Amino acid sequence: MWHFLVRRSCGLLLAVWGLLSLPASAAPFVYVTNEQSASVTVIDAATNTLVATIGVESEPWGVAITPDGKRVYVTNAVSNSVSVIDAASNSVVATVPNVGSTPTGIAITPDGTRAYVANHAPTSFATVSVIDTAANSVIGSIGVGLAPFQLAITPDGSRVYVTNGQSNSVSVISTATNTVIATVPVGQDPFWIAITPDGTRAYVASQQCHCVTVIDTASNTPIASIGVGIQPLGVAITPAGNRAYVGLAGSSSNPVYVIDTSTNAVVATIPNSRSSFQMAATPDGNRVYFANPFDDSVSVIDTASNTVVAAIGVGSRPVGLAITPPPGSGVTTVGIDIKPGIFPNRINLTSGGVVQVAIKGSAVFDATQIDPGTINLAGAGVRRVGKSGKYSCSPRDFNSDGFLDLLCHVETDQLTLPQGDSTAVLTAKTFGGQSLRGEDTVNVVR
């Protein structure tokens, strides 16, 4: 699979049962894939103790958790499958077979409806598979570069960034069309990738150039290359977006590098003798966890002091990990109406101007609490007007149901929609940080 770490072996599929069932709401928990144990270890991040071990299929690698914290998706590289774990019972409730050749990285969209899987086959057939998480079935396959390994999704859900280890590039996929819309050159042998919480930057650890490439996601161009130590692999960005942590795996001394994302300068190095693979920050940003495959442990960094404060024994050869989101961080579905009062909702992408969309209020949802700066309709943001750059949104009860709605104008030329009948997805957040999602049908002409 990966030429540095993995040498294929038959291995034994170990049947390991959950030790303890815990509610998904009692976050955070750390889910760790153990490649040679064919298992997933669950760590209670409050106490740094093991609370469950879950048997999965052969050589688990990547792991991702749905935004509501209820499901954990694990790629099994030898079995070419994805295991679906119920986080409340810590048991496997479904298996998605025939995902692709050697699935490794996995990421889930902010609305929780799709999982994207990097299939690491170093051939011209290298792909990213798309899983419908409601049906737990593969619904699409997207050709990318050679040996895709990891991927990350922008906070608005509109783009997937995929590292191509043997193409020295990152493929950018539009989730609206499931097509590659850009290819970004990066350092040699890119491995893990992380995107800042505001979605403006992607940080790519490339092991053979001993560097981290920074991508501007607006232009999809590299804007910086940051020198670090030998063979950088893991990378994690804190929830505040101000620090990137980069782990190494190339020597007996593998310090963790801390990068200030405002300057892209290394501001600290953390002594560490272990090889660092996948890394993740806790929702409060106080700790960073990373997998150590060569001594079967997970290390914990205190981000206030930038010191390693714990090492937790797990299964054999841990490689991937993910941390459950905070309670209440799931996505709320809202009603929207594109081009209110008009049907069918026909959009001419070459017409310029704006498209009006109404986000509906109700007895249980106050649409006036939506932050207009977070609204994204199929890749398009809200138009800004006047010298002050005010967002073109206004509260109005457009459907006369007694509840205020939010009517906004988005830029037509920013929409990324296929021609013909389609579904346009809107994402947004409230001023309080609650994620929202709505959709409406459209007919697109050019």
Side-chain angles (χ1 to χ4, degrees):
M1 184 202 332
W2 173 46
H3 50 275
F4 173 71
L5 170 66
V6 178
R7 298 295 182 265
R8 290 282 184 217
S9 61
C10 293
L12 295 177
L13 179 61
L14 303 182
V16 186
W17 290 267
L19 303 178
L20 181 64
S21 296
L22 291 166
S25 60
F29 290 98
V30 185
Y31 283 76
V32 184
T33 57
N34 305 303
E35 181 201 18
Q36 291 189 348
S37 298
S39 67
V40 174
T41 299
V42 187
I43 299 169
D44 183 341
T47 60
N48 285 332
T49 56
L50 306 188
V51 296
T53 302
I54 307 158
V56 290
E57 295 195 336
S58 188
E59 289 198 12
W61 263 77
V63 55
I65 302 171
T66 54
D68 61 9
K70 293 180 179 180
R71 294 287 187 269
V72 181
Y73 283 70
V74 176
T75 60
N76 303 302
V78 169
S79 300
N80 295 332
S81 65
V82 170
S83 297
V84 184
I85 297 169
D86 174 67
S89 63
N90 278 330
S91 61
V92 175
V93 294
T95 300
V96 185
N98 304 318
V99 172
S101 180
T102 320
T104 50
I106 184 167
I108 296 174
T109 53
D111 63 10
T113 64
R114 299 288 184 268
Y116 285 77
V117 179
N119 300 306
H120 191 56
T123 70
S124 58
F125 300 105
T127 60
V128 168
S129 297
V130 187
I131 295 174
D132 177 345
T133 57
N136 282 325
S137 61
V138 176
I139 59 171
S141 181
I142 307 160
V144 290
L146 297 181
F149 187 76
Q150 283 294 329
L151 32 73
I153 299 177
T154 53
D156 65 6
S158 65
R159 302 285 188 273
V160 182
Y161 285 72
V162 186
T163 59
N164 303 308
Q166 292 185 16
S167 296
N168 303 327
S169 66
V170 169
S171 296
V172 185
I173 297 170
S174 164
T175 57
T177 60
N178 281 333
T179 57
V180 174
I181 58 173
T183 301
V184 186
V186 294
Q188 186 178 358
D189 206 355
F191 210 63
W192 258 286
I193 181 170
I195 294 175
T196 54
D198 63 5
T200 62
R201 300 289 186 268
Y203 285 72
V204 182
S206 295
Q207 53 179 330
Q208 297 304 322
C209 76
H210 316 311
C211 68
V212 174
T213 302
V214 185
I215 297 172
D216 174 10
T217 59
S219 61
N220 284 324
T221 56
I223 57 172
S225 179
I226 307 165
V228 290
I230 299 173
Q231 284 193 314
L233 298 178
V235 58
I237 296 173
T238 55
N242 61 334
R243 293 290 186 269
Y245 285 75
V246 181
L248 312 180
S251 69
S252 58
S253 174
N254 292 302
V256 174
Y257 282 70
V258 185
I259 296 170
D260 181 337
T261 58
S262 66
T263 62
N264 285 328
V266 174
V267 293
T269 55
I270 303 171
N272 171 56
S273 61
R274 299 173 174 88
S275 296
S276 311
F277 270 53
Q278 189 160 16
M279 315 178 83
T282 53
D284 60 12
N286 291 334
R287 285 159 292 162
V288 169
Y289 286 72
F290 61 89
N292 307 308
F294 299 126
D295 69 353
D296 301 339
S297 69
V298 168
S299 293
V300 186
I301 294 171
D302 174 72
T303 57
S305 61
N306 277 331
T307 56
V308 176
V309 294
I312 308 158
V314 290
S316 179
R317 193 161 284 184
V319 286
L321 60 78
I323 299 175
T324 52
S329 61
V331 178
T332 297
T333 300
V334 295
I336 69 170
D337 189 355
I338 296 171
K339 304 185 76 169
I342 300 174
F343 187 83
N345 301 322
R346 184 166 287 116
I347 298 174
N348 187 337
L349 297 182
T350 63
S351 64
V354 295
V355 173
Q356 189 178 58
V357 57
I359 308 174
K360 300 176 183 179
S362 69
V364 295
F365 176 67
D366 183 359
T368 66
Q369 292 303 303
I370 298 172
D371 180 355
T374 66
I375 294 173
N376 183 288
L377 178 66
V382 174
R383 169 168 283 190
R384 304 185 75 161
V385 296
K387 293 182 178 179
S388 63
K390 180 182 177 181
Y391 289 105
S392 181
C393 289
S394 59
R396 191 184 313 165
D397 183 9
F398 86 96
N399 54 3
S400 302
D401 63 357
F403 301 104
L404 283 176
D405 313 297
L406 190 66
L407 271 69
C408 299
H409 297 91
V410 301
E411 301 285 358
T412 303
D413 60 4
Q414 293 178 6
L415 292 166
T416 55
L417 290 166
Q419 190 166 345
D421 293 327
S422 180
T423 298
V425 175
L426 179 143
T427 59
K429 288 187 177 182
T430 65
F431 290 111
Q434 178 62 38
S435 296
L436 310 172
R437 182 186 187 275
E439 60 181 52
D440 194 8
T441 58
V442 293
N443 178 265
V444 176
V445 297
R446 298 179 187 273

